Amino acid sequence: FDTPDGGTSTHYPQYFSNFFKGEQECPLGVIECCYTSSRKDAPLAGNAQMCALDMTNSASSNHIKARSFTVYDTQSSDDTYCSGFAYEKGSFGDSVKYNTLFHMAMMTNLFENGRVKNVPGAPMCGCVSQMPMIDNAACVKPIEGYIIDDTGTIRVDLSWEDCGDLKTYYNSLGERTDVEKYFVNSQIVGDGQCAAGAKSFLNDQMLVAI
């Protein structure tokens, strides 16, 4: 986006709170989007179950000031679609993360597939720490490329490709620590693990499901 001096910036201002945790931009290196409806004639083709959400982490998006959380009693047949991308700090993927966000959220999810509506209490897109606990998310990653024109000018030629499921891809990143992977895996719990994840979430709140 443009800056006051006429240049561009790879960093969002902090009023885009869903891409910040404190002073850092998504320190775990995962940005995710989740949808619950479609503008297309056909119903939304879901790929995820919602498990739970700590709404305090996304208070600037949901405007709930009190400590709050919810557990979703969703089933595999419920319509939720999630996708995201991951990157290592200082990598090419880090540098173009907002290009990837635009490609994923605006081009692929909205324009091409008509996916709309956020999960209640969560931003539509944000750092993984602000998003719901889910069991799965699709994954996309940028491909670095360059073009040299007739004048010798070099420009970036970005493309993207599917990288399977987001949880597995994040776990494959060599520079992300075991602690970081633990937190991401607690947010994307894996197929069939939603009930167990929600139970663990409630236990963290000193509650037991009945």
Side-chain angles (χ1 to χ4, degrees), residues 148-161:
I148 304 176
D149 65 20
D150 296 340
T151 67
T153 301
I154 302 174
R155 62 182 178 87
V156 176
D157 181 36
L158 268 178
S159 59
W160 291 267
E161 68 178 14

Side-chain angles (χ1 to χ4, degrees), residues 4-191:
D5 63 0
T8 58
S9 175
T10 59
H11 299 279
Y12 268 7
Q14 286 207 34
Y15 53 77
F16 290 97
S17 60
N18 39 327
F19 302 111
F20 276 86
K21 182 176 177 60
E23 297 294 320
Q24 299 183 64
E25 292 178 292
C26 296
L28 291 172
V30 183
I31 293 178
E32 192 179 81
C33 298
C34 288
Y35 307 87
T36 60
S37 187
S38 173
R39 289 180 175 174
K40 302 287 187 181
D41 292 334
L44 176 71
N47 71 342
Q49 281 185 260
M50 300 179 294
C51 311
L53 173 65
D54 186 343
M55 291 188 283
T56 307
N57 293 333
S58 53
S60 295
S61 297
N62 57 42
H63 307 293
I64 299 173
K65 295 182 179 180
R67 175 81 171 90
S68 54
F69 56 88
T70 187
V71 173
Y72 302 103
D73 186 23
T74 57
Q75 307 300 317
S76 58
S77 59
D78 292 333
D79 295 331
T80 306
Y81 182 89
C82 297
S83 61
F85 59 93
Y87 50 87
E88 295 177 309
K89 189 173 182 179
S91 66
F92 178 78
D94 189 1
S95 298
V96 299
K97 57 183 175 289
Y98 294 120
N99 301 78
T100 302
L101 175 63
F102 183 87
H103 166 79
M104 180 184 73
M106 302 303 293
M107 290 297 297
T108 302
N109 287 334
L110 177 60
F111 181 73
E112 295 176 3
N113 293 290
R115 296 172 183 132
V116 292
K117 291 188 179 180
N118 60 302
V119 172
M124 188 175 293
C125 299
C127 304
V128 68
S129 58
Q130 296 192 34
M131 300 297 290
M133 177 193 293
I134 54 174
D135 70 343
N136 181 62
C139 179
V140 64
K141 69 176 181 179
I143 303 301
E144 185 175 2
Y146 299 91
I147 292 176
I148 304 176
D149 65 20
D150 296 340
T151 67
T153 301
I154 302 174
R155 62 182 178 87
V156 176
D157 181 36
L158 268 178
S159 59
W160 291 267
E161 68 178 14
D162 179 88
C163 49
D165 72 272
L166 186 57
K167 176 186 177 78
T168 299
Y169 179 74
Y170 190 82
N171 288 333
S172 75
L173 297 179
E175 295 185 15
R176 287 296 173 182
T177 68
D178 290 343
V179 172
E180 290 173 320
K181 291 175 181 178
Y182 171 83
F183 280 109
V184 171
N185 289 328
S186 70
Q187 284 293 99
I188 309 173
V189 296
D191 292 338

